[in-house]
Amino acid sequence: IPAPAAIAMCLLFVVGFVIFRGTNYQKFCIKQDRTSTVWGKAPEFIDGKLLVSGWWGLARKINYFGDLLIAYAFALPAGFSTWKTWVYPAYLTTLLLQRAFRDEARCAKKYGETWKKYCKRVPYRMIPGVY
């Protein structure tokens, strides 16, 4: 693997890891103490229920995006010489997309109008600015 490609793959992994762990850590901290700061500021919520600060203000399932970046970073070094390398990233993509739809339906039912406000405030499902 050429050095620039190896560096890019490592960066993809690091970005994915930072997003995945950062999002989950923010959620953990807020669940432990709702007055915790998020990126140095007081947390903001929709109707006092749904966090819209930090990572969670960028996309509703941004932790899934980080998880996918990690999976693709592990597959890329093998290239495209065999389909077997891509089974896990393809599986995880399918799993997380399906889970996101299922979870959003559950949240819409659970939170009602609050969920609609949240989706309006955080319009992207997984990838900020894209999806």
Side-chain angles (χ1 to χ4, degrees):
I1 299 173
I7 291 168
M9 289 175 215
C10 288
L11 285 174
L12 184 66
F13 172 82
V14 169
V15 169
F17 188 81
V18 167
I19 292 170
F20 181 72
R21 292 300 305 143
T23 56
N24 289 323
Y25 186 68
Q26 276 182 355
K27 190 180 351 178
F28 170 79
C29 288
I30 292 299
K31 284 184 177 185
Q32 296 297 310
D33 179 7
R34 289 179 63 90
T35 64
S36 296
T37 60
V38 176
W39 293 350
K41 298 178 184 174
E44 193 176 341
F45 301 90
I46 298 289
D47 295 342
K49 297 177 183 175
L50 300 170
L51 180 65
V52 292
S53 298
W55 292 109
W56 300 101
L58 300 176
R60 299 186 300 269
K61 301 292 177 194
I62 194 165
N63 56 323
Y64 292 179
F65 179 53
D67 208 2
L68 290 172
L69 290 178
I70 292 167
Y72 283 90
F74 279 124
L76 280 170
F80 298 96
S81 60
T82 176
W83 61 270
K84 294 174 188 173
T85 305
W86 297 95
V87 170
Y88 177 66
Y91 161 76
L92 190 62
T93 300
T94 303
L95 174 88
L96 293 179
L97 286 173
Q98 194 273 338
R99 183 185 290 172
F101 282 110
R102 191 177 67 229
D103 189 45
E104 292 211 353
R106 185 180 55 83
C107 287
K109 187 176 181 181
K110 179 179 179 180
Y111 295 109
E113 285 300 313
T114 300
W115 183 254
K116 289 179 185 175
K117 290 179 195 175
Y118 178 63
C119 291
K120 187 173 182 177
R121 174 76 182 269
V122 184
Y124 300 105
R125 187 171 278 130
M126 275 193 224
I127 306 170
V130 177
Y131 172 73

